[in-house]
Amino acid sequence: MGEDVRSMTQRHLGTVVAGASIAVTVGAVLVAVTLPGDTSGASPRDPAYGHAGYEHVRYGQGSAQGSAAGGDGAPPPGVVEPPPPRIADGSGTDPLTDDEIRHARALALSADPREAGEGVRGAPGPQPLSVDLAEVPPEEAGAAAPPRRAQVSSYDYRRDAYVTTTVDLASDRVVRTDTQRGVQPPPSRQEAVEAARLLIGDRRLGEGLRSDYRDATGRELTDPAQLTVTGFVYRVDAENPGPARLGACGRHRCVRLFSRVRNGPWIDTRWFVVDLSARSVSRLD
């Protein structure tokens, strides 16, 4: 992939100033220069380009000798070197590489712009959950090189919706986007941390957690980073009836926590439910 560099700007690396009795000599110079590449016909993901879409150009040795008559010494033409190696994309059913995961998230975001969603703390863009290798449909399973696709999952707190976007990693194309309400996948680590932050900050219901932490460590609990937390989805439905004040859980993103002092004992927080959509805390009686 990629294309040859069609043209290159010659850089003037030295200026020789000469007078009747003055001569300035510029010795051998080796300069490494990075110039923006001509991306008019190539993708920044093209192997001919580095991660940021730049060509790598090195100038060789050159010298310029001033004389009484004066003169400029121009460096020799630049030589295009191969870019630094990038992490290779996976193939077949190989796990997604870090590059593929980042690229899949960027593609999914282009299908669901930042202004169209909201994260768990109110930041623009839906809350990232996971990126997984998408299953190959039966009609494509026998192909010599079946399409390599990723499924990007996120939760949009603005709409209280679970969003899954399937992207084709080879063609940089969004295949489809599905939006569902009332579907609650397991919370991400960031969501569990935010639930702990809300519980710690609740003046009344967070007092027991703060007191237990103080008894265990002799210090005040002010930040979720002082804990190790794991979140579990809580929902109210026909199979799991709950108190009326938690009736929105299922439509809202509600979480229960298992908590422990970092590198220390467990603290029982199972009786609390944090509604991340409403940013409220309740206790199961």
Side-chain angles (χ1 to χ4, degrees):
M1 294 186 295
E3 64 180 18
D4 294 333
V5 177
R6 297 191 182 94
S7 63
M8 183 170 299
T9 303
Q10 297 291 333
R11 299 284 186 177
H12 183 64
L13 299 182
T15 301
V16 178
V17 180
S21 60
I22 301 175
V24 179
T25 301
V26 180
V29 179
L30 180 62
V31 182
V33 181
T34 301
L35 296 177
D38 176 9
T39 58
S40 59
S43 166
R45 300 185 74 235
D46 195 304
Y49 291 81
H51 286 287
Y54 286 87
E55 297 167 349
H56 295 264
V57 181
R58 186 189 68 184
Y59 287 104
Q61 287 187 335
S63 64
Q65 177 70 45
S67 66
D72 293 340
V79 177
V80 177
E81 293 185 324
R86 68 188 297 274
I87 299 175
D89 291 340
S91 62
T93 57
D94 291 345
L96 294 171
T97 67
D98 290 344
D99 271 7
E100 287 179 314
I101 290 173
R102 284 190 292 267
H103 189 60
R105 282 179 171 156
L107 287 173
L109 195 59
S110 70
D112 190 8
R114 290 181 180 272
E115 59 268 21
E118 186 175 289
V120 67
R121 301 196 69 184
Q127 180 67 34
L129 296 180
S130 63
V131 182
D132 302 297
L133 187 66
E135 293 186 8
V136 178
E139 62 272 17
E140 297 176 341
R148 189 164 167 84
R149 301 186 179 108
Q151 182 171 288
V152 182
S153 300
S154 59
Y155 194 86
D156 180 5
Y157 279 86
R158 179 173 297 172
R159 296 177 290 173
D160 265 315
Y162 175 52
V163 182
T164 55
T165 304
T166 303
V167 300
D168 189 306
L169 295 169
S171 64
D172 290 353
R173 182 173 60 91
V174 174
V175 178
R176 65 178 176 273
T177 298
D178 299 316
T179 302
Q180 304 174 75
R181 289 181 171 83
V183 176
Q184 297 295 342
S188 65
R189 179 180 179 277
Q190 291 85 354
E191 289 174 305
V193 168
E194 185 61 18
R197 189 189 315 278
L198 292 171
L199 178 56
I200 293 169
D202 190 285
R203 180 185 301 181
R204 182 173 62 88
L205 295 179
E207 176 54 34
L209 172 59
R210 295 191 299 269
S211 177
D212 287 346
Y213 185 89
R214 189 184 308 115
D215 292 343
T217 67
R219 301 188 302 274
E220 296 298 323
L221 175 61
T222 59
D223 191 283
Q226 297 168 259
L227 301 172
T228 299
V229 294
T230 303
F232 297 88
V233 165
Y234 176 83
R235 62 186 306 140
V236 174
D237 53 27
E239 297 180 359
N240 182 41
R245 64 180 176 278
L246 294 174
C249 290
R251 299 190 309 276
H252 283 187
R253 188 87 161 135
C254 297
V255 173
R256 295 175 70 183
L257 294 172
F258 283 173
S259 308
R260 65 181 300 177
V261 175
R262 185 173 290 276
N263 300 319
W266 291 93
I267 298 178
D268 190 358
T269 55
R270 293 172 298 167
W271 301 103
F272 299 99
V273 176
V274 180
D275 185 333
L276 291 171
S277 299
R279 301 188 66 79
S280 62
V281 181
S282 298
R283 180 181 172 87
L284 293 172
D285 296 325

